[in-house]
Amino acid sequence: MTITVIPHARTQTPTADYATLTLAQQDLFDMAMTRADNTVSAAEYNAMMQIAAHAAGFDIAPDGEIARCACPHCDGACTRIFNTALPDLRTVETTEYNLPRLQCPTCADHHPAPHED
């Protein structure tokens, strides 16, 4: 019997859906994002961004960043992962951590800005 391993398909789109990732991919993504959020090393931050993007199934530039939607209106229901180089993103909050807290383009279109609430 031959077993064929098919890798997670790479997408050219700058977004992915966390809910469609396998548990192993979610664990790898979560670990990489946590480490990226807490490191003081730019090299480690960039490496963790690459690992998280790979786990989510898409490629980013070597110094690129990704984020998971932090829409305050969805209360965690939005599961979009996206490239932070996308246009029309909205900053949700600023923190002392490394990761940006952004709304994905869909949430930015459908929900009012936090200061408009």
Side-chain angles (χ1 to χ4, degrees), residues 1-72:
M1 179 165 99
T2 302
I3 298 175
T4 304
V5 177
I6 300 172
H8 187 69
R10 292 276 181 246
T11 178
Q12 298 303 314
T13 63
T15 67
D17 187 350
Y18 182 85
T20 65
L21 303 179
T22 66
L23 289 179
Q25 289 168 314
Q26 288 178 359
D27 288 346
L28 182 58
F29 176 85
D30 293 341
M31 179 279 304
M33 293 298 279
T34 298
R35 286 190 54 186
D37 205 23
N38 292 296
T39 188
V40 295
S41 164
E44 182 179 11
Y45 180 83
N46 289 337
M48 292 301 109
M49 284 288 116
Q50 292 296 319
I51 291 168
H54 179 77
F58 59 91
D59 296 315
I60 57 172
D63 61 345
E65 292 181 295
I66 61 170
R68 184 160 175 206
C69 187
C71 180

Side-chain angles (χ1 to χ4, degrees), residues 8-9 11 61 67 71-72 77 82 89-91 104 106 109:
H8 187 69
T11 178
C71 180
F82 52 91
L89 299 177
R90 183 181 296 139
T91 300
C104 71
T106 301
D109 285 345

Side-chain angles (χ1 to χ4, degrees), residues 57-100:
F58 59 91
D59 296 315
I60 57 172
D63 61 345
E65 292 181 295
I66 61 170
R68 184 160 175 206
C69 187
C71 180
H73 302 285
C74 291
D75 196 28
C78 182
T79 58
R80 298 310 304 166
I81 300 167
F82 52 91
N83 188 329
T84 62
L86 288 175
D88 302 324
L89 299 177
R90 183 181 296 139
T91 300
V92 174
E93 67 178 282
T94 56
T95 68
E96 68 276 5
Y97 295 100
N98 296 325
L99 297 178

